[in-house]
Amino acid sequence: MIDARNFRDTLGRVPTGVCIITTQNEAGILDGVTVGSFGSLSLDPPLVLWSLDRKANCHQAFRAAKSFAVNVLSEDQTDLSRVFATKEARPWSELTHKPAPKTGAPIFENCCAYIECEMEAIHEGGDHDLFIGRVVRLEAAASGRPLLYFGGSYRRLDDDRVD
């Protein structure tokens, strides 16, 4: 048997970028969640993926979603990340955001990148679901540094290159 705490701690040694995935349903209700599980899947067609715990408050909203936006957070957005990492209600009226041009999902100012997706597929994986999105629009900031997560803490990218 693999000890759950050891499994989590070991996987915590893999640095990840921090993203907020957002959606808006047909009634205009917004939802979102902070994830470190975002990644690319395919270039042709352009597909991305991320996972979500089935016990998350927003799980049903994403299962029903037809589209979503990926907000790739900048290093100064730790407070925003924390808002979407809790089970508390999201204070949308207090957050500066606008609808993404293609999907209408909320996007936040000053992110490193935005990726809009149509829902391609949802697959079960243990206690999580894996969401696959087909990229329909994307935009990268001209500058900025990403927010990272490593060893249970938010981190900043070091300027020292190793190549």
Side-chain angles (χ1 to χ4, degrees):
M1 292 283 296
I2 300 293
D3 175 71
R5 181 78 250 169
N6 187 34
F7 182 70
R8 186 178 184 128
D9 290 346
T10 301
L11 293 181
R13 304 310 295 169
V14 178
T16 63
V18 182
C19 301
I20 296 175
I21 313 291
T22 59
T23 192
Q24 174 178 270
N25 71 15
E26 292 175 358
I29 297 171
L30 308 178
D31 218 330
V33 63
T34 298
V35 302
S37 61
F38 174 77
S40 62
L41 177 61
S42 168
L43 288 174
D44 186 19
L47 299 175
V48 297
L49 56 84
W50 60 281
S51 64
L52 182 63
D53 189 324
R54 287 198 196 110
K55 292 181 275 182
N57 292 350
C58 59
H59 181 259
Q60 285 306 322
F62 281 105
R63 288 237 13 135
K66 294 184 170 140
S67 61
F68 58 87
V70 180
N71 294 266
V72 181
L73 298 187
S74 297
E75 67 182 6
D76 61 347
Q77 294 180 305
T78 56
D79 290 342
L80 183 60
S81 174
R82 286 184 177 107
V83 167
F84 287 87
T86 70
K87 293 187 178 201
E88 303 295 319
R90 310 301 188 219
W92 289 103
S93 63
E94 300 170 21
L95 301 171
T96 303
H97 60 88
K98 63 183 180 182
K102 290 240 183 209
T103 63
I107 56 175
F108 302 103
E109 293 180 351
N110 303 317
C111 288
C112 285
Y114 309 97
I115 304 165
E116 290 185 75
C117 301
E118 298 294 334
M119 193 68 75
E120 180 81 5
I122 303 169
H123 299 283
E124 293 182 3
D127 57 3
H128 281 58
D129 279 343
L130 180 65
F131 293 84
I132 298 174
R134 181 180 292 258
V135 177
V136 295
R137 184 179 173 279
L138 51 100
E139 176 183 339
S143 63
R145 295 159 46 108
L147 180 61
L148 302 176
Y149 198 79
F150 175 76
S153 298
Y154 290 105
R155 307 293 178 127
R156 293 176 187 265
L157 187 64
D158 189 337
D159 281 334
D160 293 338
R161 293 181 62 151
V162 295
D163 58 345

